[in-house]
Amino acid sequence: SSNSMWGGRFAAGPSAVMREINASLPFDKRLWQQDVRGSQAHVAMLGQQGIVPADDAAAIADGLAQVAAGYAADGVPEDLSLEDIHMLTEARLAEAIGPAAGRLHTARSRNDQVATDFRLWVRDSIDQVLEALAGFQAALLARAEEHADSVMPGFTHLQSAQPVTLGHHLMAYYEMIARDVSRFRDARARMNLCPLGSAALAGTGFPVDRHATAAALGFDGPTRNSLDSVSDRDFALDYLTAAAQCALHLSRLAEEFVLWASQPFGFVALSDAWSTGSSIMPQKRNPDAAELVRGHSGRITGALVSLMMTMKGLPLAYSKDMQDDKPPTFEAHDLLGLSIAAMTGMVESASFRTQRMRQVAEAGFSTATDLADWLVREAGLPFREAHHVTGRAVAAAEDAGLALHELSLGQLQAIDQRIDGRVYDVLSVDASVASRTSFGGTAPANVRAAIAAARGGETT
Ligand code: ARG
């Protein structure tokens, strides 16, 4: 039989494959709360404006509440003949209240309806992500404070470069997440206009009050162009862009945890709760969660690219391709939520092996720059010459199997007579980090100041 919603001009129903390729209900049922919210705002406005009789509007509002209660209690049924959540809800409404249900869709199309529902969903999702990121930032701040003085090797090219503190390293991730928070907030602010009332594409001749529905749904106002309103998915792309970048940051930290948890590094021991064993190798303690966070970031970026590819060739206004906006967005949201939760748990529970970190920092001649700087400051050498002298000191230490600060004064003076005993003040890793007091530098005092600034809301 033909479709009960749009079957007027059809004699026959769709083929089974047509039904299957067309149906979005299996995934867009996830929008049921937003769909009911949007319809409630719409019907209240229709009643207010006298577009629908007040008693019908009231009956529809009651009926929508009943439908929502049914979904909440029993789940959303997957009746593919009803295509999508919008038609299902209207069919359910008709079951609940009879023919008055047919007035709900006045002055509305599924095109402005789905654009509104999906915006509401993305907006809700951003609020969830922001809450999760606040928890992750709190975990980073707590661990950074605990390790404001803990020396570790800082790397460039993954070669020991200069000592830094673990607190400073963790605060680098705090900064990345602060930018993510700002991107999500930007996206939220930009998307907060309501497409409802744009109807199919051209607007409507009914005297709708778009400002009223926008306000009822918590939007700042109505969108300004009906064609754009039904064909725009920038709000989802903005969300996915922010999500992909956030996932990229989580992936970098996950990668560091994977490296740090390896035996050659030994910088961190993940707690039992965040490791898995091997079914064959009894000694194993694998960082699977970190690896999956690293992996998920690829899928989240894939979701962004997927929606970009869906949209790039579409003429105005709505095309059914756009129904493919939801699966990648939903998947990215779920993966990001899991990734943030997993990284938060790993950061909170990790045991950092600070003795091992210190040992590696000392072994890597990581205070060579401090020696060169000392020769400039105290002995008046040009930096290039100081660099050369220090290079010889590193070579001597390497030959002798010693750290720089373990070379005797005699060994150092054999390289350059201008070196004196005060040099030992700068050769230790602690002295090195303590000296890095430039704004944003790794000195423990700076790290504490950065944590205090973050807690005081100076950064997001
Ligand atoms: N299920 C559709 C979607 O998600 C709803 C909009 C359908 N509109 C239409 N003109 N067929 O995009």
Side-chain angles (χ1 to χ4, degrees), residues 387-440:
H387 187 287
H388 187 78
V389 168
T390 304
R392 293 178 53 208
V394 168
E398 198 166 30
D399 285 348
L402 298 172
L404 271 181
H405 70 273
E406 289 166 346
L407 288 173
S408 69
L409 189 56
Q411 284 171 305
L412 286 168
Q413 285 176 336
I415 295 161
D416 195 297
Q417 286 180 1
R418 288 166 289 190
I419 299 175
D420 64 51
R422 293 170 303 153
V423 78
Y424 290 101
D425 293 343
V426 304
L427 289 185
S428 77
V429 290
D430 292 293
S432 175
V433 296
S435 75
R436 297 289 193 271
T437 53
S438 58
F439 184 80

Side-chain angles (χ1 to χ4, degrees), residues 69-88:
Y71 289 159
D74 309 321
V76 180
E78 267 188 40
D79 180 348
L80 293 199
S81 68
L82 288 166
E83 279 190 40
D84 58 25
I85 185 64
H86 321 296
M87 305 242 270
L88 175 74

Side-chain angles (χ1 to χ4, degrees), residues 24 28 84 86 110-111 114 233 318 320 322-323 326:
S24 54
D28 70 16
D84 58 25
H86 321 296
R110 276 185 295 155
N111 296 349
V114 73
R233 292 295 181 272
Y318 178 86
K320 201 58 172 269
M322 291 167 68
Q323 183 164 279
K326 286 173 270 315

Side-chain angles (χ1 to χ4, degrees), residues 136-263:
F136 182 44
Q137 286 185 306
L140 288 169
L141 286 174
R143 299 313 302 269
E145 183 167 52
E146 192 184 321
H147 291 287
D149 299 278
S150 305
V151 173
M152 65 174 279
F155 300 98
T156 59
H157 313 269
L158 206 56
Q159 304 281 317
S160 281
Q162 294 175 344
V164 295
T165 64
L166 176 57
H168 198 52
H169 194 106
L170 293 172
M171 286 302 286
Y173 284 95
Y174 179 91
E175 291 295 325
M176 295 177 224
I177 300 303
R179 291 193 292 275
D180 293 325
V181 165
S182 147
R183 263 184 288 274
F184 282 114
R185 285 185 184 154
D186 281 355
R188 192 191 195 289
R190 193 175 305 108
M191 78 179 58
N192 204 30
L193 295 174
C194 186
L196 197 59
S198 300
L201 74 166
T204 173
F206 288 103
V208 294
D209 182 350
R210 293 195 57 209
H211 290 87
T213 44
L217 293 169
F219 289 105
D220 298 328
T223 51
R224 288 178 291 271
N225 180 296
S226 62
L227 286 169
D228 178 48
S229 302
V230 297
S231 67
D232 165 41
R233 292 295 181 272
D234 286 2
F235 61 91
L237 289 169
D238 280 354
Y239 171 62
L240 291 174
T241 303
Q245 207 149 347
C246 180
L248 178 159
H249 294 146
L250 298 175
S251 178
R252 294 184 72 178
L253 181 56
E255 166 63 11
E256 301 218 81
F257 271 49
V258 171
L259 272 178
W260 292 2
S262 69
Q263 281 70 31

